[in-house]
Amino acid sequence: MAKGRGMIMTREKDAVTLDEYAMGEEQIGQIEGVLDRLVAIGVHCVMVIDMAGNIVAIRDNGKTRINVYSLAALAAANFGAVEAMAKLVGEEEFSLLFHKGAQESLHFLKINPDLLMLTIFGPEMTLGLLRIKSSETAAHIRSIWLR
């Protein structure tokens, strides 16, 4: 326990150290390989971001023309807001978000307490297929993250 500015600060149970948070180049490469599988089935762009909105890994079909850094920051903020709403209604979390547009839609999936997967896809992709493949991808990323 440490004291600071009149407050007693304790380490949260789910807090991670910098060593635990850091990923190596090999892990990033493995995650990008897993993300490539989503792009291969028709996803326009998929990124893994941390809860602060920093991009950890990203893959796209080469046709995506968006500001991914702004989108990642806004996605993390959006997910944080929805998590707060979940707590207000008595839920631990809403681990999945979906926003449908005419040409582009967004799918958010919480991978673990530290990572979020944001997928951009068009009307040619069904939400059911995306949810199945995203869940498989998240499981792969969790196993890579734990190495």
Side-chain angles (χ1 to χ4, degrees):
M1 256 190 283
K3 291 183 178 181
R5 296 187 183 201
M7 295 175 54
I8 296 174
M9 299 168 57
T10 60
R11 183 174 178 206
E12 294 181 30
K13 291 178 184 175
D14 62 347
V16 294
T17 66
L18 186 56
D19 287 340
E20 293 168 333
Y21 186 76
M23 278 195 282
E25 192 173 319
E26 183 180 340
Q27 287 176 299
I28 298 293
Q30 290 171 343
I31 290 173
E32 289 172 341
V34 172
L35 297 181
D36 280 337
R37 294 182 207 158
L38 283 177
V39 174
I41 65 164
V43 162
H44 297 175
C45 180
V46 57
M47 62 180 94
V48 174
I49 64 175
D50 66 15
M51 293 302 177
N54 300 301
I55 298 173
V56 174
I58 183 169
R59 302 310 260 184
D60 68 25
N61 62 5
K63 300 175 186 170
T64 306
R65 301 288 178 255
I66 59 171
N67 182 336
V68 293
Y69 300 103
S70 293
L71 182 61
L74 292 168
N78 184 27
F79 201 83
V82 170
E83 236 179 27
M85 287 188 279
K87 289 184 179 13
L88 287 174
V89 298
E91 291 292 328
E92 182 64 32
E93 66 182 13
F94 295 137
S95 60
L96 171 77
L97 292 176
F98 170 65
H99 299 291
K100 181 163 179 40
Q103 298 303 315
E104 301 283 357
S105 298
L106 300 174
H107 179 268
F108 301 71
L109 180 64
K110 188 175 183 178
I111 297 170
N112 64 26
D114 302 310
L115 298 175
L116 181 66
M117 184 165 56
L118 174 61
T119 306
I120 304 167
F121 64 102
E124 66 280 358
M125 170 74 60
T126 65
L127 181 59
L129 176 62
L130 179 65
R131 288 184 67 187
I132 291 168
K133 295 300 183 184
S134 293
S135 293
E136 293 171 1
T137 301
H140 282 112
I141 293 171
R142 277 191 291 274
S143 70
I144 294 167
W145 178 260
L146 294 174
R147 291 181 198 155

Short mmCIF file of all heavy atoms in Angstrom, two decimals, residues 55-96:
data_model
loop_
_atom_site.label_atom_id
_atom_site.label_comp_id
_atom_site.label_asym_id
_atom_site.label_seq_id
_atom_site.Cartn_x
_atom_site.Cartn_y
_atom_site.Cartn_z
N ILE A 55 -3.66 1.26 -30.68
CA ILE A 55 -3.71 0.11 -31.59
C ILE A 55 -2.57 -0.85 -31.29
O ILE A 55 -1.41 -0.46 -31.28
CB ILE A 55 -3.66 0.57 -33.06
CG1 ILE A 55 -4.88 1.44 -33.39
CG2 ILE A 55 -3.60 -0.64 -34.00
CD1 ILE A 55 -4.85 2.07 -34.76
N VAL A 56 -2.92 -2.11 -31.04
CA VAL A 56 -1.93 -3.15 -30.78
C VAL A 56 -1.59 -3.87 -32.09
O VAL A 56 -0.43 -4.14 -32.37
CB VAL A 56 -2.47 -4.16 -29.74
CG1 VAL A 56 -1.53 -5.33 -29.56
CG2 VAL A 56 -2.74 -3.45 -28.41
N ALA A 57 -2.61 -4.17 -32.88
CA ALA A 57 -2.42 -4.84 -34.17
C ALA A 57 -3.58 -4.45 -35.07
O ALA A 57 -4.70 -4.22 -34.59
CB ALA A 57 -2.39 -6.36 -34.00
N ILE A 58 -3.32 -4.38 -36.37
CA ILE A 58 -4.35 -3.99 -37.32
C ILE A 58 -4.10 -4.68 -38.66
O ILE A 58 -2.95 -4.86 -39.06
CB ILE A 58 -4.41 -2.45 -37.50
CG1 ILE A 58 -5.55 -2.05 -38.44
CG2 ILE A 58 -3.09 -1.91 -37.96
CD1 ILE A 58 -5.82 -0.55 -38.44
N ARG A 59 -5.16 -5.09 -39.31
CA ARG A 59 -5.11 -5.66 -40.66
C ARG A 59 -6.32 -5.15 -41.42
O ARG A 59 -7.38 -4.93 -40.83
CB ARG A 59 -5.13 -7.19 -40.62
CG ARG A 59 -4.03 -7.79 -39.84
CD ARG A 59 -2.69 -7.27 -40.20
NE ARG A 59 -1.95 -8.15 -41.08
CZ ARG A 59 -0.71 -7.89 -41.44
NH1 ARG A 59 -0.11 -6.80 -41.00
NH2 ARG A 59 -0.09 -8.71 -42.23
N ASP A 60 -6.14 -4.95 -42.73
CA ASP A 60 -7.28 -4.52 -43.55
C ASP A 60 -7.15 -5.08 -44.96
O ASP A 60 -6.15 -5.72 -45.29
CB ASP A 60 -7.44 -3.01 -43.55
CG ASP A 60 -6.33 -2.27 -44.26
OD1 ASP A 60 -5.68 -2.86 -45.14
OD2 ASP A 60 -6.10 -1.10 -43.93
N ASN A 61 -8.16 -4.80 -45.77
CA ASN A 61 -8.19 -5.34 -47.13
C ASN A 61 -7.49 -4.43 -48.12
O ASN A 61 -7.55 -4.67 -49.32
CB ASN A 61 -9.65 -5.59 -47.55
CG ASN A 61 -10.47 -4.32 -47.57
OD1 ASN A 61 -9.97 -3.22 -47.37
ND2 ASN A 61 -11.77 -4.48 -47.81
N GLY A 62 -6.85 -3.38 -47.66
CA GLY A 62 -6.15 -2.45 -48.54
C GLY A 62 -7.03 -1.39 -49.16
O GLY A 62 -6.55 -0.51 -49.87
N LYS A 63 -8.32 -1.44 -48.90
CA LYS A 63 -9.26 -0.47 -49.47
C LYS A 63 -9.83 0.48 -48.43
O LYS A 63 -10.57 1.39 -48.77
CB LYS A 63 -10.40 -1.21 -50.18
CG LYS A 63 -9.94 -2.10 -51.31
CD LYS A 63 -11.11 -2.90 -51.88
CE LYS A 63 -10.60 -3.89 -52.91
NZ LYS A 63 -11.65 -4.84 -53.30
N THR A 64 -9.53 0.24 -47.19
CA THR A 64 -10.10 1.04 -46.10
C THR A 64 -9.39 2.39 -46.04
O THR A 64 -8.16 2.44 -45.98
CB THR A 64 -9.94 0.30 -44.76
OG1 THR A 64 -10.51 -1.00 -44.88
CG2 THR A 64 -10.63 1.05 -43.64
N ARG A 65 -10.16 3.46 -46.06
CA ARG A 65 -9.60 4.82 -46.02
C ARG A 65 -10.22 5.57 -44.85
O ARG A 65 -11.03 6.47 -45.03
CB ARG A 65 -9.87 5.56 -47.33
CG ARG A 65 -9.31 4.91 -48.54
CD ARG A 65 -7.78 5.05 -48.59
NE ARG A 65 -7.23 4.38 -49.74
CZ ARG A 65 -6.58 3.21 -49.69
NH1 ARG A 65 -6.39 2.60 -48.55
NH2 ARG A 65 -6.10 2.67 -50.78
N ILE A 66 -9.85 5.20 -43.65
CA ILE A 66 -10.37 5.87 -42.46
C ILE A 66 -9.22 6.21 -41.55
O ILE A 66 -8.13 5.63 -41.66
CB ILE A 66 -11.39 4.99 -41.70
CG1 ILE A 66 -10.74 3.67 -41.29
CG2 ILE A 66 -12.64 4.77 -42.52
CD1 ILE A 66 -11.57 2.84 -40.38
N ASN A 67 -9.44 7.14 -40.64
CA ASN A 67 -8.45 7.48 -39.63
C ASN A 67 -8.57 6.45 -38.51
O ASN A 67 -9.41 6.57 -37.62
CB ASN A 67 -8.70 8.89 -39.12
CG ASN A 67 -7.67 9.32 -38.10
OD1 ASN A 67 -7.03 8.49 -37.44
ND2 ASN A 67 -7.51 10.62 -37.97
N VAL A 68 -7.75 5.42 -38.59
CA VAL A 68 -7.86 4.32 -37.64
C VAL A 68 -7.47 4.73 -36.21
O VAL A 68 -7.97 4.16 -35.25
CB VAL A 68 -7.03 3.10 -38.09
CG1 VAL A 68 -7.62 2.49 -39.36
CG2 VAL A 68 -5.57 3.44 -38.27
N TYR A 69 -6.60 5.71 -36.09
CA TYR A 69 -6.18 6.15 -34.74
C TYR A 69 -7.34 6.85 -34.02
O TYR A 69 -7.58 6.61 -32.84
CB TYR A 69 -4.96 7.05 -34.83
CG TYR A 69 -3.79 6.32 -35.47
CD1 TYR A 69 -3.44 6.56 -36.79
CD2 TYR A 69 -3.08 5.37 -34.75
CE1 TYR A 69 -2.40 5.86 -37.38
CE2 TYR A 69 -2.04 4.66 -35.34
CZ TYR A 69 -1.70 4.91 -36.65
OH TYR A 69 -0.69 4.21 -37.24
N SER A 70 -8.05 7.70 -34.75
CA SER A 70 -9.22 8.36 -34.15
C SER A 70 -10.31 7.33 -33.85
O SER A 70 -10.94 7.37 -32.79
CB SER A 70 -9.78 9.43 -35.10
OG SER A 70 -8.86 10.47 -35.24
N LEU A 71 -10.53 6.41 -34.79
CA LEU A 71 -11.55 5.39 -34.58
C LEU A 71 -11.21 4.53 -33.36
O LEU A 71 -12.09 4.23 -32.55
CB LEU A 71 -11.70 4.51 -35.82
CG LEU A 71 -12.77 3.43 -35.74
CD1 LEU A 71 -14.15 4.05 -35.53
CD2 LEU A 71 -12.76 2.56 -36.99
N ALA A 72 -9.95 4.16 -33.21
CA ALA A 72 -9.55 3.33 -32.06
C ALA A 72 -9.79 4.07 -30.74
O ALA A 72 -10.31 3.50 -29.77
CB ALA A 72 -8.08 2.94 -32.18
N ALA A 73 -9.44 5.35 -30.70
CA ALA A 73 -9.64 6.13 -29.47
C ALA A 73 -11.14 6.27 -29.16
O ALA A 73 -11.56 6.10 -28.01
CB ALA A 73 -9.00 7.51 -29.63
N LEU A 74 -11.94 6.56 -30.18
CA LEU A 74 -13.38 6.69 -29.97
C LEU A 74 -14.02 5.36 -29.59
O LEU A 74 -14.93 5.31 -28.77
CB LEU A 74 -14.05 7.27 -31.22
CG LEU A 74 -13.69 8.72 -31.53
CD1 LEU A 74 -14.15 9.11 -32.92
CD2 LEU A 74 -14.27 9.65 -30.46
N ALA A 75 -13.53 4.28 -30.19
CA ALA A 75 -14.07 2.95 -29.87
C ALA A 75 -13.81 2.59 -28.41
O ALA A 75 -14.68 2.07 -27.72
CB ALA A 75 -13.46 1.90 -30.80
N ALA A 76 -12.61 2.88 -27.95
CA ALA A 76 -12.29 2.58 -26.55
C ALA A 76 -13.16 3.41 -25.61
O ALA A 76 -13.67 2.91 -24.60
CB ALA A 76 -10.81 2.85 -26.27
N ALA A 77 -13.35 4.68 -25.95
CA ALA A 77 -14.21 5.55 -25.13
C ALA A 77 -15.65 5.05 -25.16
O ALA A 77 -16.32 5.00 -24.12
CB ALA A 77 -14.12 6.98 -25.63
N ASN A 78 -16.13 4.68 -26.34
CA ASN A 78 -17.49 4.16 -26.48
C ASN A 78 -17.66 2.90 -25.64
O ASN A 78 -18.66 2.75 -24.92
CB ASN A 78 -17.79 3.88 -27.95
CG ASN A 78 -19.20 3.44 -28.21
OD1 ASN A 78 -20.12 3.77 -27.46
ND2 ASN A 78 -19.38 2.67 -29.25
N PHE A 79 -16.71 2.00 -25.73
CA PHE A 79 -16.81 0.75 -24.98
C PHE A 79 -16.80 1.03 -23.48
O PHE A 79 -17.55 0.41 -22.72
CB PHE A 79 -15.69 -0.21 -25.37
CG PHE A 79 -16.01 -1.63 -25.04
CD1 PHE A 79 -16.76 -2.40 -25.90
CD2 PHE A 79 -15.56 -2.19 -23.86
CE1 PHE A 79 -17.08 -3.70 -25.59
CE2 PHE A 79 -15.87 -3.50 -23.54
CZ PHE A 79 -16.64 -4.26 -24.40
N GLY A 80 -15.96 1.97 -23.06
CA GLY A 80 -15.92 2.35 -21.64
C GLY A 80 -17.25 2.91 -21.17
O GLY A 80 -17.72 2.60 -20.08
N ALA A 81 -17.88 3.73 -22.01
CA ALA A 81 -19.18 4.31 -21.65
C ALA A 81 -20.24 3.22 -21.54
O ALA A 81 -21.05 3.22 -20.60
CB ALA A 81 -19.59 5.36 -22.69
N VAL A 82 -20.22 2.28 -22.46
CA VAL A 82 -21.21 1.20 -22.43
C VAL A 82 -20.98 0.30 -21.22
O VAL A 82 -21.93 -0.18 -20.60
CB VAL A 82 -21.19 0.40 -23.75
CG1 VAL A 82 -22.03 -0.85 -23.65
CG2 VAL A 82 -21.68 1.28 -24.89
N GLU A 83 -19.73 0.10 -20.87
CA GLU A 83 -19.44 -0.70 -19.67
C GLU A 83 -19.99 -0.02 -18.42
O GLU A 83 -20.54 -0.68 -17.53
CB GLU A 83 -17.93 -0.92 -19.54
CG GLU A 83 -17.60 -2.37 -19.47
CD GLU A 83 -16.12 -2.65 -19.36
OE1 GLU A 83 -15.33 -1.83 -18.85
OE2 GLU A 83 -15.77 -3.73 -19.79
N ALA A 84 -19.88 1.30 -18.37
CA ALA A 84 -20.44 2.05 -17.23
C ALA A 84 -21.97 1.93 -17.22
O ALA A 84 -22.58 1.78 -16.15
CB ALA A 84 -20.01 3.51 -17.31
N MET A 85 -22.58 1.96 -18.40
CA MET A 85 -24.04 1.79 -18.48
C MET A 85 -24.44 0.40 -18.01
O MET A 85 -25.47 0.24 -17.34
CB MET A 85 -24.53 2.03 -19.90
CG MET A 85 -24.52 3.47 -20.32
SD MET A 85 -25.33 3.76 -21.90
CE MET A 85 -24.03 3.31 -23.02
N ALA A 86 -23.66 -0.61 -18.36
CA ALA A 86 -23.95 -1.97 -17.93
C ALA A 86 -23.99 -2.05 -16.41
O ALA A 86 -24.90 -2.66 -15.82
CB ALA A 86 -22.92 -2.94 -18.49
N LYS A 87 -23.03 -1.43 -15.79
CA LYS A 87 -22.98 -1.45 -14.31
C LYS A 87 -24.19 -0.74 -13.71
O LYS A 87 -24.70 -1.16 -12.68
CB LYS A 87 -21.67 -0.85 -13.83
CG LYS A 87 -20.48 -1.76 -14.11
CD LYS A 87 -19.21 -1.22 -13.56
CE LYS A 87 -17.99 -2.07 -13.78
NZ LYS A 87 -17.96 -3.15 -14.69
N LEU A 88 -24.65 0.33 -14.37
CA LEU A 88 -25.83 1.06 -13.88
C LEU A 88 -27.09 0.20 -13.89
O LEU A 88 -27.98 0.39 -13.07
CB LEU A 88 -26.06 2.32 -14.71
CG LEU A 88 -25.08 3.46 -14.48
CD1 LEU A 88 -25.33 4.59 -15.46
CD2 LEU A 88 -25.16 3.98 -13.04
N VAL A 89 -27.16 -0.74 -14.83
CA VAL A 89 -28.34 -1.61 -14.90
C VAL A 89 -28.09 -2.96 -14.23
O VAL A 89 -28.88 -3.89 -14.38
CB VAL A 89 -28.84 -1.81 -16.35
CG1 VAL A 89 -29.26 -0.48 -16.95
CG2 VAL A 89 -27.81 -2.51 -17.21
N GLY A 90 -26.97 -3.06 -13.52
CA GLY A 90 -26.71 -4.26 -12.73
C GLY A 90 -25.97 -5.37 -13.45
O GLY A 90 -25.87 -6.49 -12.93
N GLU A 91 -25.46 -5.10 -14.64
CA GLU A 91 -24.67 -6.10 -15.37
C GLU A 91 -23.19 -5.87 -15.09
O GLU A 91 -22.76 -4.74 -14.89
CB GLU A 91 -24.93 -6.00 -16.88
CG GLU A 91 -26.31 -6.41 -17.30
CD GLU A 91 -26.55 -7.90 -17.12
OE1 GLU A 91 -25.61 -8.69 -17.26
OE2 GLU A 91 -27.70 -8.27 -16.81
N GLU A 92 -22.44 -6.95 -15.13
CA GLU A 92 -20.99 -6.81 -14.97
C GLU A 92 -20.40 -6.10 -16.17
O GLU A 92 -19.55 -5.23 -16.05
CB GLU A 92 -20.34 -8.20 -14.81
CG GLU A 92 -18.85 -8.17 -14.59
CD GLU A 92 -18.44 -7.48 -13.30
OE1 GLU A 92 -19.20 -7.54 -12.31
OE2 GLU A 92 -17.35 -6.87 -13.29
N GLU A 93 -20.88 -6.48 -17.35
CA GLU A 93 -20.41 -5.85 -18.58
C GLU A 93 -21.32 -6.23 -19.73
O GLU A 93 -22.06 -7.19 -19.66
CB GLU A 93 -18.98 -6.28 -18.90
CG GLU A 93 -18.87 -7.75 -19.22
CD GLU A 93 -17.45 -8.20 -19.50
OE1 GLU A 93 -16.51 -7.45 -19.21
OE2 GLU A 93 -17.30 -9.31 -20.01
N PHE A 94 -21.24 -5.48 -20.82
CA PHE A 94 -21.77 -5.87 -22.10
C PHE A 94 -20.53 -6.13 -22.96
O PHE A 94 -19.85 -5.20 -23.35
CB PHE A 94 -22.63 -4.78 -22.74
CG PHE A 94 -23.89 -4.45 -21.97
CD1 PHE A 94 -24.27 -3.14 -21.78
CD2 PHE A 94 -24.69 -5.44 -21.47
CE1 PHE A 94 -25.44 -2.82 -21.11
CE2 PHE A 94 -25.87 -5.14 -20.79
CZ PHE A 94 -26.23 -3.83 -20.60
N SER A 95 -20.23 -7.38 -23.20
CA SER A 95 -18.96 -7.71 -23.85
C SER A 95 -19.00 -7.58 -25.36
O SER A 95 -18.00 -7.74 -26.02
CB SER A 95 -18.54 -9.13 -23.47
OG SER A 95 -19.53 -10.05 -23.89
N LEU A 96 -20.17 -7.25 -25.90
CA LEU A 96 -20.32 -7.16 -27.35
C LEU A 96 -21.12 -5.92 -27.71
O LEU A 96 -22.14 -5.63 -27.09
CB LEU A 96 -21.05 -8.41 -27.86
CG LEU A 96 -21.48 -8.42 -29.30
CD1 LEU A 96 -20.30 -8.71 -30.20
CD2 LEU A 96 -22.55 -9.46 -29.50
#
